[in-house]
Amino acid sequence: MALSPTAAQRRVIDAADPATGRLRGTPAQLAALVKRGLAFRHPRPPHDHFLTPAGHRIREAADGPESVAVPSEAPAAPDTGGVFAARVGGEEAAPGDPGPARLREVRGAWQGLLELRRMTHPDGSTDRPCAWERSHLVRAAALALEAAGHSPAGPGGGDGYRVRATPQPEAVAVYEPDGGALRACAATLERAGWQVGEHTEARTRARYLLASPRKV
């Protein structure tokens, strides 16, 4: 569990880059934040320090009553047991606030996922999914879509994406009744490092995407 920061450490947290969580401070300040579980040191040169999800939570809480809850693990792998959940579409009780707080929450989770890619890929790349995404296919694809601004379907169906598991290994299905929106989802997933193909269901003739994490 992360310890509460001192006033000086809080100033370092508040000055972090709002998108990436990159920190600036003295070596002692940064080391103390790492010890408290509020920051981590990137393993590759130049070994910059970044906020953990707990650090992001403290920083966002300073914005006012719309405090943003983020995942409890570090680095910021989304939806791994914390309070954040990407919208997969069609949920009866949609997680999160659809307003500015939700947008900040999704942005933080996506940036954290990119950092997780950077840290876990041997070449430090962020252009393809990492091991966490391969073991959480639906959540990972949904986060890529929501972070790019696509709208998930509501509980009653209608327009909006729905991400669903498939019997095929390492593949998810993405449904969107609007053809243009479906193609836009495909473009987003391709940019996020997924291989995407468009298919038609034999029974319903509905068009859908079959997406798999790209390996190279």
Side-chain angles (χ1 to χ4, degrees):
M1 181 179 296
L3 301 174
S4 298
T6 66
Q9 292 165 356
R10 182 58 183 267
R11 287 193 291 271
V12 175
I13 292 173
D14 291 344
D17 185 284
T20 66
R22 188 177 183 182
L23 293 163
R24 287 287 183 267
T26 67
Q29 288 173 328
L30 297 174
L33 289 174
V34 171
K35 184 177 181 180
R36 290 172 182 262
L38 301 174
F40 67 91
R41 182 175 182 265
H42 199 286
R44 296 184 179 87
H47 301 297
D48 287 330
H49 288 71
F50 296 84
L51 291 174
T52 63
H56 276 290
R57 181 171 55 197
I58 288 175
R59 185 181 186 283
E60 294 286 358
D63 290 344
E66 287 186 327
S67 60
V68 177
V70 296
S72 57
E73 288 83 2
D79 196 15
T80 55
V83 297
F84 178 81
R87 294 285 309 276
V88 301
E91 297 94 336
E92 288 297 327
D97 179 352
R102 177 66 183 180
L103 295 178
R104 292 196 301 269
E105 189 176 37
V106 172
R107 180 198 65 193
W110 177 248
Q111 290 298 327
L113 182 55
L114 292 180
E115 186 58 28
L116 186 61
R117 289 182 178 185
R118 191 192 314 276
M119 292 182 66
T120 56
H121 284 145
D123 59 358
S125 65
T126 61
D127 62 351
R128 65 186 186 277
C130 61
W132 183 89
E133 291 167 273
R134 296 179 187 282
S135 61
H136 300 81
L137 293 170
V138 172
R139 301 174 188 180
L143 177 58
L145 293 172
E146 188 176 2
H150 296 279
S151 298
D159 290 341
Y161 69 78
R162 291 180 294 119
V163 184
R164 298 294 183 263
T166 72
Q168 183 171 330
E170 288 205 354
V172 296
V174 179
Y175 298 89
E176 164 60 79
D178 180 89
L182 183 67
R183 289 187 290 274
C185 287
T188 290
L189 290 171
E190 287 172 350
R191 287 193 300 270
W194 294 67
Q195 294 177 323
V196 183
E198 188 170 337
H199 302 269
T200 301
E201 285 191 342
R203 183 175 61 84
T204 66
R205 308 307 297 171
R207 300 292 289 172
Y208 70 98
L209 305 176
L210 194 64
S212 301
R214 185 166 56 83
K215 295 183 177 179
V216 294

